[in-house]
Every structure is written in structure tokens, then in C-alpha cells.
Amino acid sequence: MAEKDRPGDDVPGDDEVLADAAAGGDVPDDDTDDALVSRGGGTAVAERTKDESPKARKSGRRSGVFGRIGGFFREVVSELRKVIWPTRRELLTYTSVVIVFVVVVTTLVVSLDYAFGKGILWALGS
């Protein structure tokens, strides 16, 4: 499993909160402004009112082509900071599992291809 509180972790000690959430415990709600609505077993944020629309919030930003491109790259960097990168040991483990799986499936496909090819040649008398 993943290590606890790796370097670059945004919030140290949040692993216990996440473990409690996975076990079905209550998670403290940091965002008390949004009313939560439960529909069909999931939890969703209540719908926005007209003053909270995305256009109203983003009115102070540049809206030109270069502003959009800059915004795109800012969002990409923001998302990459949220990624939990694997450790070297995890990466080697995952890579070896993939390589072994590919070798096994390739061997299976080659064996079946050879067997069916010989079977067809035998059935047609060649």
C-alpha cells in the first residue's frame, strides 16, 4: 500500500482521516458553506444560484486566447500537484507485474495460434 505522509503531501496527518472515511466513519466537513444534497446514495453539492455561476466568478480574469491558454496551463500544474506519485519501489513492482502479465498473455495467444493453425492444416489435409 501507499506510504503515509510522503514528502510533498499537502496536509500532513490526513491519512488517518482518509482511513476513517474508507472505513465508513464520519469525515470532518471543512466546507460548511456548501449545502450537501444526497441523491441515489451519492453526495453532491447543491446547485448554484444565478449569482454563483462560473461566468460571474471569473469576470476578473482575462478572456482572450492567451488568457485561456495561461489558465489551461495553471490548471494543469494545479492538477499535477494533486497527483500521488508512486515511490520507486511501487513503480518497479507495477512495472514487473505489467511485464509478467504481457509475457503470459503473449505466450497464451502464440500457443493458441499455433495449435489452431496446426488443427486447421490437419483438418484440411495439407
Side-chain angles (χ1 to χ4, degrees), residues 41-122:
T43 304
V45 178
E47 294 180 13
R48 292 188 185 109
T49 60
K50 289 185 180 178
D51 359 333
E52 296 176 353
S53 69
K55 288 184 181 178
R57 285 189 300 172
K58 128 177 176 183
S59 61
R61 295 184 186 161
R62 295 183 201 166
S63 60
V65 173
F66 294 111
R68 290 181 188 175
I69 292 172
F72 171 76
F73 284 110
R74 278 191 298 275
E75 289 181 22
V76 167
V77 169
S78 171
E79 290 298 321
L80 284 175
R81 287 185 181 141
K82 297 177 188 177
V83 172
I84 299 174
W85 298 99
T87 62
R88 181 175 180 84
R89 185 174 186 162
E90 290 172 339
L91 185 64
L92 291 173
T93 302
Y94 299 154
T95 304
S96 61
V97 166
V98 167
I99 290 172
V100 167
F101 180 78
V102 167
V103 167
V104 168
V105 170
T106 303
T107 304
L108 178 69
V109 169
V110 166
S111 301
L112 288 174
D113 181 53
Y114 181 77
F116 284 129
K118 286 294 183 179
I120 293 295
L121 288 175
W122 175 79

Side-chain angles (χ1 to χ4, degrees), residues 16-29:
E16 290 79 20
V17 173
L18 294 175
D20 290 343
D26 291 334
V27 178
D29 188 15

